[in-house]
Amino acid sequence: MVKALTDQTFERATAHGVTLTDFWAEWCGPCRMQSPVIEDLDRDLAGKVAISKVDVDHNAATAAKFDIMSIPTLLIKKDGRVVEKLVGLRTKHQLKAVLAKYTTLEETN
């Protein structure tokens, strides 16, 4: 299950390894479409990539810190440093291809 992060837990949870965080809101249609993709990816990449979500309506400080202006936005960090910021709906294949640049994942999975 994808872990929900808050303003208080975000930095610690994304400080090590490769992480993907979905910035979303309940009222956002594309966010609701992105959610099952993120859940599926989380199952596929368990132990390889830490996947989480941040509700921008309840965690505005974190969203502001990373200049999240549109949602869904997917933030990929490696060892605490932002390496990719993807704005808009993405497929599982697209996300795996991006994550493969920072991990030992096979791009074709």
Side-chain angles (χ1 to χ4, degrees), residues 3 10 13 15-16 25-26 32-33 36 45 54 57 59 61-63 66 70-71 73 103-104 109:
K3 186 173 185 176
F10 179 80
H16 302 288
E26 181 124 359
R32 287 195 305 271
M33 292 169 62
L45 304 181
V54 172
D57 287 339
N59 300 284
T62 301
F66 294 99
S70 298
I71 52 174
T73 291
T103 65
T104 57
N109 286 348

Side-chain angles (χ1 to χ4, degrees), residues 11-64:
E11 285 302 326
R12 177 174 277 177
T14 62
H16 302 288
V18 177
T19 64
L20 181 147
T21 305
D22 176 17
F23 286 82
W24 71 289
E26 181 124 359
W27 50 264
C28 167
C31 298
R32 287 195 305 271
M33 292 169 62
Q34 186 71 75
S35 189
V37 173
I38 296 298
E39 295 284 343
D40 196 26
L41 197 62
D42 185 53
R43 284 187 293 277
D44 285 0
L45 304 181
K48 297 175 184 160
V49 177
I51 298 178
S52 57
K53 298 182 89 154
V54 172
D55 183 334
V56 298
D57 287 339
H58 297 104
N59 300 284
T62 301

